[in-house]
């Protein structure tokens, strides 16, 4: 029996058919490591009768030995629930990859990540740097582009120094056995951060391979950016609330503990460190031997640092008052 890389792609009720079509086309083109096949599992949530949802109809037409379709008429557990539903379709997988519906990985993504995943028993997932596919769309996309550029530099540094590192919302190739054992906590808004923290406590770690990339769309308006960052900052609050004691009392190195706390608490104070955006900009200008793009990103990163702190304050207030954070759909670029 040929080994597979099982690929899970959760699809929310709000995703248009056009984006799903592009996803199928992109993921079918992924190159495979020697001796392995891939199977795409689209777990699609619908708020209609499945027969009346043109997105479900399209995926059913694509169904084959390579494409499996799982239809959910509930949004139980949101993304975590959909991923758990996808895991239930699998039998003893060695490798599981996860992509968002707008993920556009390089063709060699799976091959590069498998090499990294196989490099050590400690590695539970491997991924590649992210890049924004629409950075020059408008001011908002340039903010996100500056954010991703900075985060990827930090992730490369943490990967080299083996500090706490959380990559790409689990857009990666993961150890199938470990993932099947742990699953996703459907009570968490940021189930990806939750799984990474549990993995560290189990003595596992992620790894980064720079030989490929994964592209994605940046949100294109402030309301969507605001709602997205509220969700992400809520993940930091969940981490501090549920993992402070386990991390402090664990046998993890001081380096991992400090970098974990910095990753969880740091964004709430990012405005205090906003001037370092220009230090990062100057460093990139020297490294890349150009000025305009790094300078532009420095200005946008400075603004973004204040924006993130504002989102953090709002999130803390909502957490204290019990209002919580709502999960809202983002518009996709046409």
């Amino acid at each position: 029996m040929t080994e597979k890389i099982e690929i899970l792609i959760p699809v929310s009720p709000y995703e248009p058919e056009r984006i799903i079509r592009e996803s199928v086309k992109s993921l079918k083109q992924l190159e495979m490591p020697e001796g392995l096949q891939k199977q795409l599992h689209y777990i699609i949530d619908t708020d209609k009768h499945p027969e009346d949802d043109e997105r479900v109809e399209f995926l059913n037409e694509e169904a084959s030995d390579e494409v499996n379709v799982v239809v959910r008429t509930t949004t139980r557990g949101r993304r975590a629930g959909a991923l758990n539903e996808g895991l239930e379709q699998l039998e003893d997988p060695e490798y599981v990859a996860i992509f968002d519906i707008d993920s556009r990985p390089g063709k060699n993504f799976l091959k590069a990540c498998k090499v990294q995943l196989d490099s050590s028993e400690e590695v539970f997932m491997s991924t590649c740097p992210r890049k924004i596919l629409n950075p020059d769309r408008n001011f908002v996309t340039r903010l996100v582009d500056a954010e991703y550029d900075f985060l990827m530099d930090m992730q490369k540094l943490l990967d080299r120094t083996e500090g706490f590192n959380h990559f790409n919302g689990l857009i990666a190739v993961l150890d199938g056995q470990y993932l099947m054992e742990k699953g996703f906590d459907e009570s968490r808004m940021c189930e990806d951060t939750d799984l990474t923290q549990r993995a560290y406590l189990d003595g596992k770690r992620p790894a980064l391979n720079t030989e490929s990339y994964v592209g994605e769309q940046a949100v294109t308006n402030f309301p969507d950016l605001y709602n997205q960052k509220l969700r992400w900052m809520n993940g930091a609050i969940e981490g501090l609330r549920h993992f402070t004691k386990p991390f402090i009392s664990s046998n993890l190195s001081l380096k991992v503990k400090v970098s974990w706390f910095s990753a969880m608490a740091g964004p709430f104070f990012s405005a205090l460190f906003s001037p370092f955006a220009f230090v990062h900009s100057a460093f990139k200008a020297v490294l890349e031997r150009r000025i305009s793009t790094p300078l532009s990103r420095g200005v946008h990163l400075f603004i973004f640092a204040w924006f993130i702190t504002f989102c953090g304050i709002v999130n803390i207030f909502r957490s204290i008052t019990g209002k919580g954070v709502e999960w809202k759909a983002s518009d996709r670029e046409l």
Side-chain angles (χ1 to χ4, degrees):
M1 181 177 177
T2 304
E3 290 287 345
K4 295 180 180 179
I5 296 182
E6 308 282 3
I7 302 175
L8 306 182
I9 312 100
V11 187
S12 80
Y14 315 107
E15 299 294 355
E17 181 184 344
R18 168 184 55 81
I19 295 295
I20 299 173
R21 287 180 178 272
E22 292 174 1
S23 172
V24 173
K25 179 180 178 181
S26 173
L27 299 185
K28 278 187 173 182
Q29 294 175 353
L30 287 171
E31 298 171 351
M32 294 303 299
E34 186 176 353
L36 292 179
Q37 295 179 350
K38 65 176 176 289
Q39 184 167 29
L40 310 177
H41 301 269
Y42 282 88
I43 308 99
I44 181 167
D45 292 357
T46 179
D47 51 12
K48 304 177 182 178
H49 191 284
E51 294 181 356
D52 297 327
D53 192 327
E54 65 278 1
R55 306 169 316 136
V56 175
E57 180 182 0
F58 164 72
L59 284 174
N60 283 333
E61 290 173 355
E62 291 291 318
S64 63
D65 289 341
E66 189 178 20
V67 179
N68 178 43
V69 183
V70 180
V71 180
R72 298 202 317 159
T73 55
T74 173
T75 57
R76 188 209 77 239
R78 298 288 183 177
R79 187 169 183 266
L83 289 172
N84 282 336
E85 190 93 9
L87 290 177
E88 291 177 3
Q89 309 298 310
L90 312 182
E91 294 183 10
D92 198 32
E94 185 172 0
Y95 303 99
V96 175
I98 297 175
F99 293 110
D100 285 336
I101 195 65
D102 67 331
S103 298
R104 302 293 177 262
K107 289 185 178 181
N108 66 331
F109 183 90
L110 297 178
K111 295 172 71 174
C113 289
K114 179 184 178 297
V115 170
Q116 198 78 23
L117 186 62
D118 291 343
S119 66
S120 171
E121 292 185 0
E122 292 181 354
V123 176
F124 82 101
M125 78 168 183
S126 173
T127 190
C128 300
R130 288 190 295 184
K131 71 175 183 179
I132 293 300
L133 300 177
N134 55 343
D136 297 320
R137 174 72 168 79
N138 56 33
F139 178 71
V140 172
T141 62
R142 285 189 284 273
L143 283 178
V144 178
D145 182 54
E147 173 202 14
Y148 277 34
D149 180 66
F150 173 74
L151 287 179
M152 285 315 305
D153 284 342
M154 292 301 299
Q155 289 175 340
K156 290 175 184 177
L157 175 64
L158 289 167
D159 185 58
R160 288 194 297 269
T161 59
E162 297 187 354
F164 175 83
N165 220 338
H166 174 63
F167 292 124
N168 301 356
L170 301 187
I171 307 304
V173 177
L174 298 98
D175 180 335
Q177 297 297 308
Y178 183 77
L179 190 57
M180 292 291 286
E181 177 188 344
K182 295 299 178 180
F184 295 95
D185 189 333
E186 298 180 20
S187 69
R188 302 282 190 263
M189 179 163 283
C190 292
E191 78 293 327
D192 51 348
T193 311
D194 175 79
L195 179 64
T196 299
Q197 291 169 116
R198 286 188 281 144
Y200 268 95
L201 292 172
D202 287 338
K204 302 286 186 176
R205 63 179 177 86
L208 182 70
N209 191 312
T210 58
E211 294 183 3
S212 190
Y213 69 91
V214 57
E216 64 182 73
Q217 286 187 7
V219 294
T220 57
N221 59 73
F222 265 112
D224 283 349
L225 181 64
Y226 174 69
N227 290 322
Q228 182 188 76
K229 299 314 173 189
L230 282 185
R231 291 198 307 271
W232 291 7
M233 296 296 281
N234 195 65
I237 290 178
E238 287 179 340
L240 291 168
R241 178 182 297 140
H242 298 288
F243 289 98
T244 295
K245 184 176 179 180
F247 263 77
I248 290 175
S249 61
S250 73
N251 294 323
L252 292 168
S253 68
L254 181 61
K255 176 170 52 180
V256 170
K257 293 178 181 180
V258 171
S259 55
W260 168 80
F261 183 77
S262 298
M264 296 299 114
F268 295 95
F269 304 96
S270 59
L272 299 176
F273 303 100
S274 58
F276 286 97
F278 299 107
V279 176
H280 180 257
S281 173
F283 174 78
K284 294 299 289 281
V286 172
L287 190 66
E288 298 176 6
R289 296 183 179 180
R290 57 176 178 169
I291 296 177
S292 58
T293 300
L295 178 60
S296 173
R297 282 176 171 163
V299 172
H300 286 87
L301 186 60
F302 177 86
I303 296 170
F304 186 81
W306 285 87
F307 175 70
I308 281 295
T309 294
F310 172 74
C311 290
I313 293 171
V314 171
N315 216 314
I316 291 172
F317 176 77
R318 290 191 174 188
S319 180
I320 292 173
T321 58
K323 291 184 177 180
V325 176
E326 295 181 15
W327 190 294
K328 297 183 180 180
S330 298
D331 290 335
R332 296 296 188 190
E333 186 174 9
L334 296 176

